Amino acid sequence: MELRQLHYFIKVARKQHVTQASEELHVAQSAVSRQIHQLEEELGVTLFVQKGRNLQLTPVGKLFLKRVEGIMNDLERAVGEVHEFLDPAMGEIRIGFPHTLGINLLPTVVAEFRKNHPNVKFRLRQGTFNSLVKDVINREIDLSFVSPFPEIHDYVAGELLMEEELLAILPAQHPLAGEEMIRLEQLREDPFVMFSEAYSLRSIVLAACKKAGFIPKIGFEGEETDTIRGLVAAGMGVGLLPEMALLEISPLQPAMVKVSEPRVTRTVGLVRRKDEKLPPVAEGFRQFLLDYFRSR
């Protein structure tokens, strides 16, 4: 069994198509097919079945893919650690983030870190709270920003970096748009534009509304900050978003108003695998982040 076979197998499994996999690998389609066939012969199992124009993993193929991806991740990490040992300034940092931090915070801290470490590479992965924590546990990334910060967790540990206030966002023509501060209860009759159920901000908003004494009417759902902000600005409802997600000015700009009762906040933290030492370059970036947030 060769590493090339495993690499081809993973690519075909992800693309579900030999032609597309071969194009991405820059090798002939026949070479990919041959390597997959040889791998199946060596294992004595069928890894793929044809389904229309695509290939679908068999149950044993799915099991094999999970193990092989873990092996390849470990191998990639081992190679990276060797390179870091030879020259820590040339390493790679694999870090995850929720999309609300990708607008301003992540680019800012990466740019600041690279001023003194210009040769360090970053591999970034965006996701929801659950997907990011899972990626850390599965060693697909070394570190991740998460919100909310899990103070107690079986498999990850980390540090609370900051607490951020959520602001009410309203259409410009809303009766409360000119106020400096409102009570959340004043929005009980308005439809809310919310994140979908996979996003932690949704549960924060729902909990705040419950604390204010009402269950919000959900008019629209979205998965991106710009979508939420745009729908509100277009008059489709009201919402709550973190201050950091509202720093960028867009053509459709809602009114932003502070909420006094209840005060709505979210925590942002940095997590890593529990009881496991980070690669030197990732540890250096972690320490940089802790210092960065302490100074602010």
Side-chain angles (χ1 to χ4, degrees):
M1 191 177 300
E2 300 176 2
L3 284 175
R4 179 174 55 183
Q5 290 176 327
L6 300 181
H7 183 53
Y8 286 7
F9 165 70
I10 291 173
K11 186 65 68 175
V12 173
R14 289 176 178 172
K15 305 302 290 188
Q16 297 186 339
H17 204 284
V18 172
T19 302
Q20 293 178 12
S22 64
E23 289 173 352
E24 202 163 299
L25 290 164
H26 303 293
V27 296
Q29 180 178 335
S30 58
V32 175
S33 297
R34 185 169 57 253
Q35 292 295 331
I36 296 297
H37 180 65
Q38 289 176 358
L39 181 61
E40 288 180 322
E41 282 193 334
E42 185 172 347
L43 291 171
V45 298
T46 300
L47 297 171
F48 295 98
V49 292
Q50 193 78 36
K51 187 174 183 182
R53 294 184 177 181
N54 293 335
L55 290 176
Q56 189 176 62
L57 285 167
T58 61
V60 71
K62 292 179 181 179
L63 175 64
F64 189 61
L65 175 64
K66 182 179 179 181
R67 298 302 185 190
V68 169
E69 284 183 324
I71 291 168
M72 296 301 277
N73 283 333
D74 286 344
L75 178 61
E76 188 176 332
R77 188 178 178 204
V79 172
E81 287 176 350
V82 170
H83 291 163
E84 287 176 30
F85 179 81
L86 296 173
D87 186 356
M90 296 289 289
E92 180 181 72
I93 298 168
R94 304 179 303 165
I95 186 165
F97 63 98
H99 86 274
T100 53
L101 299 185
I103 299 168
N104 183 271
L105 176 64
L106 185 71
T108 299
V109 295
V110 167
E112 192 68 25
F113 183 77
R114 282 175 60 85
K115 287 180 181 179
N116 294 321
H117 306 84
N119 295 319
V120 170
K121 297 178 182 178
F122 281 85
R123 185 182 301 185
L124 307 176
R125 178 169 295 192
Q126 180 178 302
T128 63
F129 174 88
N130 288 331
S131 69
L132 292 170
V133 170
K134 181 181 177 182
D135 288 343
V136 170
I137 294 170
N138 291 339
R139 295 182 173 82
E140 294 186 18
I141 53 179
D142 301 307
L143 294 164
S144 186
F145 290 103
V146 291
S147 179
F149 173 64
E151 294 188 7
I152 300 175
H153 196 282
D154 290 338
Y155 303 106
V156 298
E159 295 82 22
L160 175 65
L161 299 177
M162 60 179 285
E163 184 178 65
E164 182 183 20
E165 190 171 4
L166 272 65
L167 302 180
I169 54 171
L170 316 171
Q173 66 274 21
H174 194 282
L176 300 174
E179 299 292 325
E180 288 187 11
M181 192 169 290
I182 62 171
R183 302 184 315 279
L184 189 56
E185 189 272 339
Q186 291 176 268
L187 302 178
R188 69 184 307 149
E189 299 301 325
D190 291 281
F192 274 70
V193 181
M194 287 201 183
F195 283 100
S196 60
E197 292 183 356
Y199 292 84
S200 58
L201 280 173
R202 179 190 179 98
S203 59
I204 292 173
V205 174
L206 289 174
C209 291
K210 183 178 180 181
K211 191 172 181 180
F214 70 98
I215 298 174
K217 296 176 289 185
I218 301 175
F220 296 91
E221 295 182 352
E223 296 188 353
E224 294 289 339
T225 300
D226 286 345
T227 303
I228 305 290
R229 190 165 59 177
L231 288 172
V232 170
M236 310 301 284
V238 301
L240 291 172
L241 282 178
E243 282 187 285
M244 202 176 299
L246 297 168
L247 292 175
E248 186 181 9
I249 303 299
S250 65
L252 278 175
Q253 191 72 11
M256 293 171 277
V257 183
K258 284 184 173 289
V259 178
S260 63
E261 190 181 322
R263 183 171 176 266
V264 189
T265 63
R266 69 164 177 174
T267 55
V268 176
L270 185 70
V271 297
R272 62 193 183 280
R273 287 177 293 283
K274 185 177 285 187
D275 301 325
E276 190 169 314
K277 189 176 180 181
L278 285 169
V281 67
E283 176 60 25
F285 185 58
R286 187 182 77 88
Q287 291 298 331
F288 162 81
L289 289 173
L290 297 181
D291 293 340
Y292 180 90
F293 281 94
R294 286 192 195 108
S295 68
R296 285 156 178 78

